[in-house]
Amino acid sequence: MKKWMTATVAFFSIVGILVSGSSISAAPQKPIVVYIDGALQDNVLTVNGRTMVQLIAFKDPANLVYSYEQATKTIIVTNKEMKTTVRLNGGSTTALVNGKIVKLDAPVTIKEGRTYLPLRFLSETLGGTLKYNSTNKTLIVRTPSGQERFKTLMSGKLEDARTIAIHTPTTLVDKEIVTNGEGFHTSYTFPKGEALRYQVQYRGLIKYIEINSDGIAVVKWQKDTVGTNGEAGKKPEDFKESVYFLDNFMAEMLTYGTIDSKGVYDEVGIVYYTIHKNFNGIELMPIEGETRTDVQINDMEQ
């Protein structure tokens, strides 16, 4: 964790330094919808007909190292596994990749204090993956670590996939429902054997989330259970047999178990964080005898 935090702080510092360079106007074209590691990118530009994303969005502390060379005002990005080093300057139409000049499809662009780079260059040069979904006209991008998480999410061990699922950024298909309930615990409910759809309840707000074949977590339904803010979306059918995990912050404990088709709860385990210190931060646990039933394999897993 400390190593990840150090790399992340360095990365954000570099982005802040680079934005002080010269700015380049971007053509007022409607950008395409882009997801990076499952997160919808709100700030996307189209420059010279190319999709540009913020450098800050393509972050992968486990694989990428960022540094800044003050004398030449150069940002340096290194992929440790690929042994690839990229050197970039604000306003430049070229980059140095392992010492060789590479022409960019669009110049390094600085707009409103943020640095943008061509998306395809970022993903291909730094070891990411890129896919265009023609059905909903979106670009799906993953960093090296993001691609590994995606593989686990789609076809990995059930408990690992569920953990990735609940930490995948969500996208709304309807208005956002807010609630004024108190946040003493968070509960997650999954259909038995599944990781790609679940319900989460926090502060009295229930959300039903489905993860599609591109790894995008979509909030299909929301309901305020303690106030008068109503609901949005379509309520899902009952999960029938399911499993639950209740993370109680106040009591510093995690309870988990099964729910039968009649809605009867059966608690199968308790983790006391003050006693089982190795489990601090663990939000889900494996359920004995449960096997995964929703494995998916697609082209981005190859």
Side-chain angles (χ1 to χ4, degrees), residues 171 196-198 208-212 215-220 236:
T171 296
L196 300 179
R197 58 190 182 115
Y198 66 95
Y208 168 63
I209 297 163
E210 289 183 1
I211 299 177
N212 65 25
I216 308 304
V218 182
V219 179
K220 298 281 190 174

Side-chain angles (χ1 to χ4, degrees), residues 1-299:
M1 177 63 74
K2 184 177 180 181
K3 181 178 179 182
W4 185 91
M5 287 295 293
T6 301
T8 302
V9 170
F11 173 75
F12 279 84
S13 298
I14 290 163
V15 172
I17 292 170
L18 184 58
V19 299
S20 62
S22 59
S23 298
I24 300 175
S25 298
Q29 303 176 44
K30 185 178 180 180
I32 195 169
V33 176
V34 176
Y35 287 89
I36 298 180
D37 286 344
L40 177 65
Q41 302 302 300
D42 294 325
N43 299 292
V44 179
L45 302 179
T46 301
V47 179
N48 295 348
R50 304 297 181 181
T51 301
M52 310 279 286
V53 296
Q54 293 183 14
L55 177 59
I56 199 173
F58 198 84
K59 55 183 181 293
D60 185 352
N63 290 279
L64 305 178
V65 176
Y66 302 88
S67 59
Y68 185 74
E69 191 174 84
Q70 180 65 44
T72 59
K73 299 188 185 305
T74 301
I75 188 168
I76 304 169
V77 188
T78 301
N79 183 310
K80 297 175 289 184
E81 293 296 320
M82 295 174 59
K83 297 181 180 179
T84 299
T85 298
V86 180
R87 296 172 64 90
L88 298 156
N89 295 92
S92 178
T93 57
T94 62
L96 278 179
V97 181
N98 285 348
K100 296 182 179 180
I101 297 176
V102 175
K103 183 174 176 56
L104 300 175
D105 293 331
V108 178
T109 299
I110 300 172
K111 184 174 186 290
E112 296 179 355
R114 294 295 184 182
T115 301
Y116 293 77
L117 293 175
L119 179 56
R120 186 171 294 278
F121 172 81
L122 267 178
S123 61
E124 291 181 350
T125 307
L126 296 177
T129 60
L130 186 151
K131 170 191 173 183
Y132 178 65
N133 187 322
S134 58
T135 302
N136 50 25
K137 297 181 180 179
T138 58
L139 275 173
I140 310 299
V141 182
R142 302 197 181 279
T143 62
S145 291
Q147 177 66 3
E148 291 306 309
R149 289 193 298 272
F150 175 70
K151 291 178 181 179
T152 302
L153 175 64
M154 290 294 138
S155 59
K157 290 175 58 177
L158 182 58
E159 57 266 30
D160 295 337
R162 282 174 172 168
T163 297
I164 292 172
I166 66 173
H167 290 288
T168 297
T170 57
T171 296
L172 291 170
V173 295
D174 211 317
K175 66 179 181 178
E176 182 177 11
I177 301 296
V178 295
T179 180
N180 296 317
E182 297 179 323
F184 298 136
H185 66 267
T186 300
S187 66
Y188 298 96
T189 307
F190 289 85
K192 182 180 179 181
E194 296 186 33
L196 300 179
R197 58 190 182 115
Y198 66 95
Q199 286 190 16
V200 56
Q201 182 168 352
Y202 175 63
R203 296 184 63 188
L205 177 66
I206 300 177
K207 294 182 181 180
Y208 168 63
I209 297 163
E210 289 183 1
I211 299 177
N212 65 25
S213 59
D214 288 322
I216 308 304
V218 182
V219 179
K220 298 281 190 174
W221 175 67
Q222 308 163 76
K223 182 177 181 180
D224 177 13
T225 65
V226 297
T228 58
N229 293 325
E231 61 186 296
K234 182 179 179 180
K235 183 179 179 179
E237 295 182 0
D238 290 340
F239 286 168
K240 298 181 180 178
E241 289 188 285
S242 55
V243 297
Y244 73 90
F245 307 89
L246 178 62
D247 186 2
N248 190 319
F249 316 133
M250 297 296 290
E252 297 187 74
M253 60 186 288
L254 170 70
T255 58
Y256 57 98
T258 62
I259 308 172
D260 67 18
S261 58
K262 296 181 180 180
V264 177
Y265 284 68
D266 180 17
E267 183 180 288
V268 299
I270 303 177
V271 175
Y272 295 98
Y273 296 126
T274 54
I275 300 174
H276 309 100
K277 297 186 183 300
N278 289 340
F279 289 94
N280 278 335
I282 301 296
E283 299 161 284
L284 307 176
M285 294 288 289
I287 304 291
E288 185 177 356
E290 190 182 19
T291 58
R292 187 166 186 184
T293 61
D294 65 346
V295 168
Q296 293 189 23
I297 303 292
N298 59 52
D299 58 344

